[in-house]
Amino acid sequence: MESPFRSIPAVALALAACAAAQEPAKPIPAQPAQPGRAAQPAQRAMRLSPAPRAREKSQSDLIKLRAKKLSKKVFENADWFYDYDEARAAAKAEDKLLLVYFTRSYAP
Amino acid sequence: MLSTPEFAEWSENVVLFLHNTSRVHSEPYPNLLREKGGNGFPTVSYLDASGRLLKQVGHVTPVEDLEANRLYLDDWRALSRRAADSDDADVQRKLFAMELEMKILDPVAARATADDLFEGDERKAMEQELVNLEFLDILSKTPRTEMAMGGKRFLDMFRLGRIPTARQDTSFWQYMFAYAQAEEDVDLFEELLGFVKEHRGGDPRLARYLQKLEADLAKMKGGE
């Protein structure tokens, strides 16, 4: 019978993952949809509570980080959709495949 | 690569969609990456117009590789259209084999279709792919916070002799051990550990992991 473990580094990583499991992204309540391609402007929030710990970012900070990410020059090089529904509609209309680039802005 | 003129020119062949996980409350489809089987950043994937995952490229690759994948998927689309218009068994078999390779089939339906379309050595040859498909399907639907739940389903596979060889197969064992611990099933934990030791016990790189499992087993027995 073929050995059950094919990748030892992966086992070590799995063990490490057990020890320090990263919290998965939690479901977020639905809010009004974003415009298809324009990044949202950053919003200044009034800070009424003590500054959050380094690991916890406020919604205001997350919005700023998102705007910074979406305004990166690299995304000016080609015609990107930022709205999933619009992207799928375009793919259907043009009979093309969707190439999705998953990235994040809440952390480096 | 994304900032190159080559990429800009090539991108006319597809529709580009940038999904950014921001953890902003207003963000739509916040879990799309996980729903499409991804678990790291960046991840590059091909979807069809309905949002069905066709191929996870993984990381950012050269344009030539993106084009090779696109052409492969275009072949699949053409074959799908032929199969939809034809009862030709050979076309159906080719399409099935391609979709099995792409891992876009429902595992239960795939097994039934494989039984219908293939026999003998041809059927046997695809058994491991069907097992891997089943494993990856369960894995994709099991959050890491629910390992024991996934482990229960993997145990059903284990009992049928369906042991995956997919890239993430360590999760198969990890989740089953989690299930055994959650159920406080010492016998099961010991059985699984015995199986792992029998097949990979001689690998020194696994020594630390096996030691941890032995320690876990001792702790479980101590609680009896």
Side-chain angles (χ1 to χ4, degrees), chain B residues 89-152:
Chain B
D90 195 46
V91 173
Q92 301 293 334
R93 277 193 285 267
K94 279 183 179 152
L95 178 65
F96 178 83
M98 199 168 186
E99 292 186 338
L100 186 59
E101 188 182 56
M102 289 164 67
K103 294 185 177 48
I104 59 172
L105 296 168
D106 169 78
V108 173
R111 190 167 280 278
T113 303
D115 290 342
D116 283 342
L117 291 177
F118 301 92
E119 55 188 21
D121 289 342
E122 264 192 318
R123 173 59 184 88
K124 278 185 197 159
M126 52 184 51
E127 177 59 23
Q128 190 61 57
E129 282 302 311
L130 289 167
V131 170
N132 289 344
L133 183 71
E134 184 179 356
F135 161 69
L136 290 170
D137 182 66
I138 293 170
L139 190 64
S140 71
K141 289 170 180 167
T142 306
R144 282 196 72 83
T145 51
E146 304 288 338
M147 283 200 290
M149 179 184 80
K152 184 171 192 290

Side-chain angles (χ1 to χ4, degrees), chain A residues 3-6 8 15 18 28-29 59 66 77 81 85 96-105, chain B residues 2 4 12 15-21 23 25 27 29 43 45 47 165 169 173-174 200 205 212:
Chain A
S3 170
F5 287 106
R6 294 179 72 218
I8 305 308
L15 184 58
C18 263
I28 296 171
Q59 283 294 294
R66 180 178 65 186
N77 184 48
F81 280 84
D85 295 328
K96 289 180 179 174
L97 297 166
L98 270 173
L99 183 79
V100 187
Y101 180 76
F102 290 98
T103 187
R104 68 182 180 187
S105 56
Chain B
L2 298 180
T4 63
E12 295 293 319
V15 170
L16 295 177
F17 169 51
L18 175 76
H19 182 273
N20 176 58
T21 299
R23 294 187 177 169
H25 290 160
E27 198 73 50
Y29 304 106
T43 291
S45 304
L47 309 184
T165 55
D169 64 353
W173 304 100
Q174 192 182 0
R200 288 302 296 266
R205 292 172 297 177
K212 181 197 176 296

